[in-house]
Amino acid sequence: MPATVIVGAQWGDEGKGKIVDLLAQDSDVVCRYQGGPNAGHTIIVDGETFKLRQVPSGIISGKTCVIGAGCVVDPEVLLSELDELEKRGLDPSVVVVSGNAHLIMPWHVAIDQASERRLGKLQIGTTRRGIGPAYADKAARIGIRVQDVLDPKILRQKIEVALAEKNVWLERVYEAEPFELEDVASRYEGYARRLRPYVGDTSLFVDRALREGRDVLFEGAQAVLLDLDHGTYPFVTSSSTTAANAAAGIGIGPNRIDYVIGVAKAYVTRVGAGPFPTEIQGAAQERVRELGAEYGTVTGRERRCGWLDLVALRYAVRVNGITSLALTKLDVLSAFPELPVCVRYRLRDGSETEDFPAHQSDFHSAEPVYETLPGWTEPLDDRLPEGARGYVEFVERALDVEVSLVGTGAERERVVALR
Ligand code: IMP
């Protein structure tokens, strides 16, 4: 598989890390192309748990790990993650960071927190890691980039210019503490020294790798319904999470991508606020949360849990050009004798649709129409029991896309390859 994108097909936390980790073993390079330390990828290998936020999951298999231009990088998080991984015997020198990626600065984190506080009940429910404010500064062309760490004078000057404005915002608009120039500058000079060896031309690097016939994985963070343009705005993240952005976020042409694997849970979860038609009402939600350990990797927050939503998944297939699906955490559903699956939405005017509503108010008021599938009691091992196979085939038929992998447990080896 020369160039394969792995993309979240729901609201994030689908288990992309595990699928990337699995496929990374047969790949040469693993790239992140968007997002920052808001992503939380959990990988369990030989009973050891790795929680990654900023570094691509390929590091676990010692593969070259690229952090592309479309990413935002918190140097404190990145460096401490690399230190931690090194302590656990992994090699941090496999990481290359694009000089064009933007830095998350401490004021981004402070503004993210303050703005969520100010929004109160209307808050987005962000991870409060400074993602939105960092991308906003990038779009406003006042961001500080990774390549700015290469020149201490430029870095200091940019911090000074930015702080002059950000401190006014923090104090006057958000009534938050301002930052001291000397504190920030000296801290970031320290990070800069450590970051320099990791900075590289990642577009050129990935292009060469592909020309040499190497296998490159593009690891999406978050997911289609959190995409800035195509997600459930404003309850979205601030980057383009869809598969097409794998090319743009790294700096290669879209025609270089060969396959797009969508990762979806066998049910659905959502963190943060926003509409969620198939959210389970009653005790079954808590049961799914407990069985699926549905608590945020980054924030520890409870995830909202719902039944599988084929309307939203059909949209994910369309928007990403998904060529096959990995259906994860099917084992969690073993506890339920009957499994509702949402096949259509009923809209306000009483009409029913299989297609994701283009307008927000239609989506907000959409009612799920369920078909109930039988569960199974047998354990999920190398061969799926009939009920589980029926569930998977139902998804394939509804979406006209093959399910190539099924996740049956947290461990790396708990995956059934159907094709
Ligand atoms: P932000 O990305 O921190 O700005 O958060 C914006 C929205 O995206 C919030 O609803 C978050 O809960 C959600 N979000 C961001 N990253 C993830 C993730 O890795 N998994 C699930 N939700 C996420």
Side-chain angles (χ1 to χ4, degrees):
M1 283 209 220
T4 305
V5 184
I6 313 282
V7 78
Q10 293 160 331
W11 271 290
D13 310 313
E14 298 92 350
K16 294 181 289 294
K18 177 183 160 136
I19 302 296
V20 173
D21 170 57
L22 185 79
L23 299 180
Q25 294 170 62
D26 296 320
S27 304
D28 302 295
V29 182
V30 181
C31 311
R32 284 272 311 265
Y33 55 89
Q34 46 74 225
N38 49 344
H41 292 169
T42 305
I43 297 156
I44 304 177
V45 185
D46 298 333
E48 237 194 298
T49 302
F50 295 88
K51 289 187 188 260
L52 300 174
R53 290 160 60 189
Q54 186 83 69
V55 178
S57 304
I59 193 146
I60 310 292
S61 336
K63 301 304 162 102
T64 304
C65 285
V66 167
I67 299 180
C71 295
V72 285
V73 176
D74 186 327
E76 187 178 348
V77 175
L78 175 63
L79 292 167
S80 71
E81 200 164 288
L82 290 175
D83 287 344
E84 175 65 27
L85 290 165
E86 189 170 22
K87 264 194 239 148
R88 297 176 71 179
L90 297 171
D91 176 13
S93 73
V94 298
V95 173
V96 194
V97 186
S98 167
N100 288 356
H102 278 245
L103 287 179
I104 298 178
M105 302 301 289
W107 51 83
H108 293 135
V109 180
I111 291 172
D112 198 358
Q113 292 173 350
S115 109
E116 284 284 272
R117 256 200 318 273
R118 229 166 100 100
L119 282 169
K121 277 213 310 237
L122 296 176
Q123 66 176 237
I124 292 162
T126 73
T127 60
R128 302 189 179 207
R129 305 290 157 171
I131 307 298
Y135 275 113
D137 279 358
K138 166 179 167 169
R141 294 155 298 177
I142 52 169
I144 301 181
R145 292 192 295 174
V146 167
Q147 60 186 280
D148 295 326
V149 307
L150 299 175
D151 183 329
K153 250 174 61 193
I154 290 182
L155 180 64
R156 193 184 170 87
Q157 200 179 40
K158 292 203 170 181
I159 292 175
E160 193 171 352
V161 170
L163 260 189
E165 189 200 316
K166 298 299 176 187
N167 274 345
V168 176
W169 275 95
L170 280 167
E171 286 188 276
R172 304 232 185 115
V173 178
Y174 294 115
E175 293 169 352
E177 287 297 310
F179 288 95
E180 289 290 338
L181 171 63
E182 280 315 314
D183 280 0
V184 179
S186 63
R187 194 145 54 94
Y188 273 69
E189 273 151 24
Y191 297 149
R193 261 196 304 280
R194 293 203 51 206
L195 262 185
R196 274 176 212 136
Y198 294 103
V199 182
D201 184 342
T202 48
S203 157
L204 184 64
F205 180 86
V206 173
D207 178 70
R208 284 201 178 136
L210 289 170
R211 278 174 202 281
E212 287 163 10
R214 295 189 198 283
D215 291 334
V216 181
L217 273 187
F218 299 85
E219 173 180 12
Q222 294 85 45
V224 61
L225 295 172
L226 293 172
D227 181 272
L228 184 57
D229 296 301
H230 304 289
T232 49
Y233 191 91
F235 304 104
V236 293
T237 192
S238 294
S239 63
S240 171
T241 59
T242 46
N245 192 42
I250 290 295
I252 56 165
N255 51 345
R256 310 296 292 282
I257 305 291
D258 298 295
Y259 300 101
V260 179
I261 301 179
V263 186
K265 271 181 204 167
Y267 50 98
V268 187
T269 62
R270 171 162 208 180
V271 196
F276 184 4
T278 64
E279 185 163 19
I280 303 169
Q281 308 302 326
Q285 167 152 196
E286 187 55 35
R287 184 122 168 83
V288 172
R289 183 176 302 121
E290 287 301 318
L291 289 168
E294 296 297 353
Y295 302 92
T297 312
V298 175
T299 58
R301 286 183 292 176
E302 276 188 359
R303 296 180 184 143
R304 299 156 67 194
C305 301
W307 300 120
L308 187 63
D309 182 345
L310 291 179
V311 178
L313 205 48
R314 180 173 293 109
Y315 180 67
V317 170
R318 161 159 53 105
V319 173
N320 291 294
I322 287 171
T323 51
S324 72
L325 279 169
L327 204 61
T328 59
K329 297 185 111 171
L330 191 63
D331 52 307
V332 171
L333 297 185
S334 300
F336 298 89
E338 290 191 324
L339 298 165
V341 174
C342 170
V343 291
R344 289 185 300 281
Y345 289 163
R346 187 170 301 117
L347 303 181
R348 284 173 299 178
D349 63 4
S351 64
E352 292 189 0
T353 178
E354 288 190 336
D355 292 313
F356 198 75
H359 295 119
Q360 190 175 7
S361 347
D362 285 333
F363 180 59
H364 276 242
S365 57
E367 295 279 342
V369 178
Y370 288 111
E371 216 163 287
T372 301
L373 304 188
W376 52 89
T377 47
E378 308 89 324
L380 300 185
D381 44 35
D382 287 349
R383 284 183 45 121
L384 295 182
E386 200 183 312
R389 187 163 279 277
Y391 191 85
V392 171
E393 285 169 0
F394 188 84
V395 173
E396 289 185 316
R397 272 197 309 278
L399 304 178
D400 197 19
V401 169
E402 66 171 40
V403 173
S404 49
L405 295 169
V406 174
T408 56
E411 289 281 343
R412 180 189 260 174
E413 56 276 10
R414 298 297 305 268
V415 170
V416 180
L418 297 183
R419 294 187 174 79

